Amino acid sequence: MFQKRALITGITGQDGAYLAKFLIEKGYKVTGTYRRSSTRNFWRLHYLDVKKDISLLPVDLLDQTSIMHALREVEPDEVYNLAAQSFVGDSFAEPQATAEITGIGSLRVLDSIRFLNPNIRFYQASTSEMYGNANQTGQSENTPFHPASPYANAKLFAHWNVVNYRKAYNLFATTGILFNHESPIRGIDFVTKKITDGVARIKLGMSEKLLLGNLEAKRDWGFAGDYVKAMWMMMQQSVADDYVIATGETHSVREFCEAAFSRVGLDYTKYVEVDKKFLRPHDVVFLKGDPSKAKRILGWDPSETSFISLVNMMVDADMEKYQNPERQMKQFLKHI
Ligand code: NAP
Ligand code: F7E
């Protein structure tokens, strides 16, 4: 039986792990790329129990040879380019590294596909950060981009390359303009995970305060498990295109805090403090996506996980992490 082959760059990240799980369940042969480092970083793949079902290859988006080697080795039908320096806050501290990895890195993958096998389908992880602050009522595929960080600039460079390569070289190259999506395996730097981890630590007496930056910023937060399905759906269309993936709802960081603390019976105002160190030189203040096109063309349902279920899922996972450290230790030992 014909088995489709997928190559996922950045499989060690949040979305990489969820996408691997989704594609394995669809019957794909999945290969993922990881960066060589002194410490192995496969904990998310263990958390979702997919490590045993995938193959891994070392690839750095800074190194085109490694990308070409992976494409030759795997001969994929579909490439999902999820690898990136994805933290907006750090992109102000490391603008050039962010541009190299997140911007030019994507171009390296695209060019490798163009030269090695233009029949490979390509997915680019575009982002709502590309909209910046210009439109404060809601964003669709037709909203102009006004990026407000080195990360957003790098992503916009990658985005326009995909759009241009689609036209110039007739590649099946699609972009998902994904709004924030979270999960229990979200990186600790991002505000949702920082809050839910902080809630668990405070509830269990391990911490007294939670220091945050801009509490009034609003985001359209969804669940990562729902969003990787949309990536796959885009890749199954007859024509490649660009799609906004979002819930259509927006909430402030303050509202997220309120919901997360109340999950464990605490009042956030007693624990959350603003520390200037977490304010950004330029922040995006309002994001609310319009997923109508994805709904209409892909049949993707944005309402599978509500805001409150997402918050509760993340708080519960962090409580479990600290209350049941043996389980964590077993997972840790697995990836040594
Ligand atoms: P993530 O957890 O930060 O994962 C990023 C992945 O990229 C990790 O596997 C990381 O490897 C890898 N990576 C970083 N630098 C690399 C390099 N030089 N070469 C090769 N791999 C490298 O991000 P995510 O939340 O899963 O997001 C996936 C993608 O979607 C990213 O491109 C992100 O920018 C984009 N995006 C995310 C959201 C969101 O809300 N999550 C929304 C829109 C778009 P290590 O594990 O070694 O660090
Ligand atoms: O910040 C505010 C912060 O870092 C959200 C990435 O996945 O989604 C993510 O980017 C908001 C911002 O996500 C803290 O100023 C307040 O307004 O969780 P975040 P992000 O910047 O929206 C997009 C779609 C991506 O593409 C990115 O890859 O929360 N905020 N206090 C804080 N943020 C952080 N990180 N830490 C704080 O203490």
Side-chain angles (χ1 to χ4, degrees), residues 14 84-89 125-130 151 155 178-182 186 188-195 210-219 221 253 275 278-280 282-285 287:
Q14 170 189 259
Q85 190 305 90
S86 75
F87 185 42
V88 175
S126 287
T127 168
S128 50
E129 285 295 304
M130 300 186 309
Y151 168 77
K155 279 287 184 185
L178 270 56
F179 284 59
N180 300 52
H181 45 281
E182 319 293 316
R186 182 62 144 149
I188 190 75
D189 287 326
F190 301 98
V191 76
T192 54
K193 185 68 175 172
K194 185 174 167 186
I195 295 169
L210 176 61
L211 304 179
L212 296 172
N214 182 6
L215 300 184
E216 310 315 326
K218 289 191 152 188
R219 289 292 183 275
W221 280 297
V253 173
D275 183 332
F278 297 111
L279 295 174
R280 294 180 181 167
H282 190 184
D283 201 10
V284 174
V285 293
L287 289 173

Side-chain angles (χ1 to χ4, degrees), residues 12-15 35 41 60-61 82 84 86 151 155 178 181:
T12 57
Q14 170 189 259
D15 291 8
R35 279 190 294 179
N41 182 24
D60 197 311
L61 288 200
L82 308 186
S86 75
Y151 168 77
K155 279 287 184 185
L178 270 56
H181 45 281

Side-chain angles (χ1 to χ4, degrees), residues 5-63:
R5 288 183 297 266
L7 180 68
I8 304 174
T9 70
I11 202 166
T12 57
Q14 170 189 259
D15 291 8
Y18 275 105
L19 180 63
K21 186 175 171 63
F22 179 85
L23 293 178
I24 287 160
E25 285 166 6
K26 283 269 170 215
Y28 279 67
K29 179 168 169 30
V30 174
T31 304
T33 76
Y34 69 98
R35 279 190 294 179
R36 148 91 196 119
S37 69
S38 62
T39 312
R40 291 200 174 164
N41 182 24
F42 301 141
W43 66 274
R44 291 185 174 96
L45 299 168
H46 287 293
Y47 188 95
L48 295 184
D49 201 23
V50 291
K51 170 80 170 46
K52 61 189 185 321
D53 301 318
I54 59 167
S55 305
L56 288 164
L57 284 173
V59 167
D60 197 311
L61 288 200
L62 297 172
D63 184 330

